[in-house]
Amino acid sequence: MKRFFCNMEQALDILKKYWGYEAFRSPQDAIIQSVLDGKDTLALMPTGGGKSVSFQVPALLREGICIVVSPLVALMTDQVEALKRRDIRALSLAGGLSHNDLERLLGNALYGNYKFLYLSPERLQQETVREAIRQMNVNLIAIDEAHCVSHWGKDFRPAYLECKWLKETFPAVPMLALTASATPKVQKDIIAALTMQEPHIITTSLQRRNISYEVMEVEDKLFHLLQTLKLQKGSAIIYLRSRSGTVQMANFLEGQGISATFFHGGLTADEKNKKLGMWITGDIRVMVATNAFGMGIDKPDVRTVVHWDIPSTLEDYFQEAGRAGRDGKPSTAVLFYNELDLKTSEQQLHNNLVDLPYLKYIYSRLNAYFVIAIGEGEEQTFGLLFPELCKRYNLQAQKAYNALLVLDRCSVISLSENFHHRSSLFFKIESFQLMEYLKAHSHLKDLVLYLIRSFTGIYNRPISLRIEALAEQLHLNYKTVIEQLEQLQKDDVAEFVNKEADLELTFRVPRDDDRTIDAIAKSVREYNHTKTTLQMAVYDYINNESECRSMQLLRYFGQNDLTPCGRCSVCQKKHAKGYLRSEEASQ
């Protein structure tokens, strides 16, 4: 194992210099010390506990570059931007990149004195990427969302199994695997799958004595929601599964005189930032959101978290409920349900379990929608307005979207919920005609030449464009690039399309129809089995009204020797019954 020969005093200097803090949170200090000692480390840290600092600080103490693997494009982008704001050199290989852009970024990572390279597990499978990494002076391997490597994890992604390549290639470099929560079975899976060598396992107690976990079976959920918000003053989050539901609920609360807004993956970045800002500052009391709301959210004074729909896993529920009371003050996490909710949850589970014939059907429709030929499509990125896809092929939206999620988890496609403009272009004239056109329009030369060099098929069919990447490459602002592309359209030189889209989709493998899906059949069956098992655990939790809610949750995550919390709905009910019995005895 490679030792860092650095001490915690130096680590604190880095923390103060770049982050402005005087001390680490627990267990950041223990994790950093373990990494500095050169040990492979599995760290379980609650959301909002500062996972990124745990690998960023030790990486900055050592010459070389830290390889960070993450499945979340938005998270990678946020962390890279945050590092850049601190004048720390970092880059990511996120999103659809042309071959030229990929080679340029890898060259920067190799020779540009960068400290962090973020990439997805799918990107790690590319030989071009592996060859570049082999030449790098890697000082630390960080695997974020490490539960994704486990067949028993809630977000199992087969591509994560390839992360072991990093450990096999750099056996002397410490590996740090990070996750918010993992059952004992998932922990063992992580260690084995990543081939970690005698890892130091660091866990913190997940017990939150200031949170009252309440499960309430009620018929009139709206009445009880209003009563809860009336009783529990302060900031609140209400989690729903559907985007439209968040809008309707926020409007309902506003109508009741409770300031509220909604948040989901279909909003633009500006809309998300505006809504988050109003909620963080207290201008809005209640945030009604899908599970797209959560990453990087660290508001300490959330007094109430409500789950309006039955969660799909206890992992999700515990993580989301844990956003209450981070300041240590008394808070409530309540799950409302009734008989209709149970039936709806069972139907949603059924829709989530996508079988292979339906998966093949959706995959073929995707290829037809984007006009992908057999053997083509690899690493091509498209913007997708999902309702348009469903309308064209008469698809049931929820089931079709779940099929896309399965294709994403199995690395057939990469899917990102990101409102943007779906842009594409192809040239309508021959290359010699285009050169003649440029003689009279020289200000378009840089753009046109870059396009024909980067996209060989641009004369034959529409090519998906990322306007932001074009602007960066050409050292132009976004508006100028749009104006130049629109001029090509106006002059009838090119067909330029710029439509709104709510998903970004990248094809990870060349189109091969049935063979593509047959290759992931085993993973799909395992995924369906895991989804069912995890949902059953939620039902067990809801139905168990004899044991402290907090103890149930903690035992699920492997913590034992627990005592009743005295605050949850089960403990309150037992206390009330005990009180009544003592009153009867005294009479």
Side-chain angles (χ1 to χ4, degrees), residues 106-123:
L106 289 172
N108 289 344
L110 266 170
Y111 308 114
N113 196 30
Y114 279 79
K115 296 301 298 180
F116 297 93
L117 174 63
Y118 284 75
L119 72 167
S120 67
E122 289 81 9
R123 188 71 73 181

Side-chain angles (χ1 to χ4, degrees), residues 83-202:
L83 288 167
K84 287 179 179 178
R85 288 194 295 270
R86 295 183 171 95
D87 294 323
I88 299 170
R89 295 178 70 80
L91 55 80
S92 77
L93 305 182
L97 295 171
S98 69
H99 183 72
N100 289 342
D101 286 340
L102 179 61
E103 289 199 331
R104 175 177 59 84
L105 289 170
L106 289 172
N108 289 344
L110 266 170
Y111 308 114
N113 196 30
Y114 279 79
K115 296 301 298 180
F116 297 93
L117 174 63
Y118 284 75
L119 72 167
S120 67
E122 289 81 9
R123 188 71 73 181
L124 186 61
Q125 293 176 300
Q126 294 179 265
E127 187 53 41
T128 301
V129 175
R130 289 190 175 191
E131 182 55 38
I133 290 176
R134 288 188 187 99
Q135 302 174 55
M136 295 179 191
N137 178 23
V138 177
N139 63 26
L140 178 62
I141 301 163
I143 311 296
D144 201 8
E145 308 295 334
H147 59 271
C148 293
V149 78
S150 170
H151 288 275
W152 302 104
K154 69 182 181 70
D155 295 316
F156 171 60
R157 299 176 73 93
Y160 250 75
L161 296 171
E162 294 302 314
C163 291
K164 67 180 180 181
W165 175 85
L166 287 167
K167 192 61 189 173
E168 293 167 351
T169 306
F170 302 100
V173 174
M175 173 181 277
L176 172 59
L178 295 147
T179 183
S181 58
T183 64
K185 183 183 288 188
V186 171
Q187 291 179 41
K188 291 178 182 178
D189 233 13
I190 292 171
I191 293 167
L194 295 177
T195 64
M196 301 178 80
Q197 303 170 23
E198 300 179 357
H200 183 193
I201 301 175
I202 298 175

Side-chain angles (χ1 to χ4, degrees), residues 222-240:
L222 288 173
F223 170 79
H224 284 86
L225 172 64
L226 293 174
Q227 289 296 103
T228 298
L229 293 177
K230 183 178 178 180
L231 182 66
Q232 303 290 337
K233 305 296 184 183
S235 184
I237 306 172
I238 303 174
Y239 280 105
L240 285 82

Side-chain angles (χ1 to χ4, degrees), residues 3 37 67 90 103 156 171 192 279 285 291 308 315 340 391 406 440 461 542:
R3 295 182 64 82
D37 289 340
I67 306 295
E103 289 199 331
F156 171 60
W279 182 71
R285 180 188 173 195
N291 60 7
W308 188 256
E315 285 85 348
L340 178 60
K391 182 178 179 180
V406 172
R461 54 186 169 79
I542 289 173

Side-chain angles (χ1 to χ4, degrees), residues 206-219:
L206 299 174
Q207 194 163 31
R208 299 282 301 281
R209 288 199 173 275
N210 64 310
I211 297 180
S212 172
Y213 296 99
E214 300 180 8
V215 178
M216 298 176 63
E217 183 177 8
V218 295
E219 286 304 316

